[in-house]
């Protein structure tokens, strides 16, 4: 369930931090799914993941891929850096099954998004 803007405002008003869970949408925003392979994708997590391969998320993935290429980092690192840049976010819950996924997730701590990149990601999401 997504948190509405009212919840972010409320958390900020009361000095509470926000901790997003599953910021990569079960791997959908990790970069392993693209417009080119979405139709044929066979996710390990099954139909639940395929349901998230919709036009909105593919547009977000397109932008993640573009920014990741600019910064020479993984789309997962960009997605997590963007989440961490959101107002009120104090920590992020990540979930990985492989060492390389952990490395990509931790690399997000070193990603510095520009104001233009943040604005572009805000626009699509």
């Amino acid at each position: 369930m997504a948190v509405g803007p009212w919840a972010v405002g409320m958390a900020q008003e009361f000095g509470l931090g926000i901790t997003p869970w599953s910021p990569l949408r079960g791997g959908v925003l990790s970069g392993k799914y693209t417009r080119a392979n979405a139709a044929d994708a066979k996710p390990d997590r099954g139909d639940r993941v395929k349901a998230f391969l919709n036009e909105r998320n593919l547009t977000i993935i397109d932008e993640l891929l573009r920014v990741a290429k600019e910064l020479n980092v993984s789309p997962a690192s960009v997605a997590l850096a963007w989440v961490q840049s959101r107002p009120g976010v104090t920590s992020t819950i990540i979930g990985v099954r492989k060492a390389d996924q952990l490395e990509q997730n931790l690399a997000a701590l070193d990603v510095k998004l520009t104001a233009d990149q943040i604005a572009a990601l805000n626009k699509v999401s």
Side-chain angles (χ1 to χ4, degrees):
M1 178 172 88
V3 174
W6 61 269
V8 173
M10 181 185 71
Q12 289 176 316
E13 180 70 25
F14 288 101
L16 302 173
I18 298 168
T19 304
W21 173 77
S22 192
L24 297 179
R25 193 77 145 162
V28 169
L29 302 178
S30 68
K32 67 178 158 182
Y33 304 109
T34 64
R35 265 183 209 285
N37 71 15
D40 299 323
K42 296 184 183 1
D44 295 339
R45 297 179 185 196
D47 290 339
R48 180 177 71 87
V49 170
K50 283 199 75 128
F52 292 125
L53 296 175
N54 55 40
E55 183 58 33
R56 179 179 184 272
N57 287 335
L58 289 171
T59 300
I60 294 169
I61 291 166
D62 291 342
E63 193 60 27
L64 287 172
L65 291 168
R66 185 191 70 76
V67 173
K69 186 175 181 181
E70 280 182 7
L71 298 174
N72 197 33
V73 298
S74 73
S77 296
V78 171
L80 292 171
W82 178 81
V83 167
Q84 282 298 124
S85 78
R86 307 305 305 143
V89 172
T90 56
S91 183
T92 303
I93 298 173
I94 59 172
V96 301
R97 293 184 291 148
K98 300 176 184 173
D100 66 316
Q101 292 171 332
L102 178 60
E103 289 172 11
Q104 289 177 22
N105 283 230
L106 293 177
L109 297 171
D110 295 323
V111 172
K112 304 296 182 230
L113 299 172
T114 67
D116 288 344
Q117 290 166 335
I118 291 172
L121 291 164
N122 287 347
K123 182 178 179 183
V124 297
S125 61

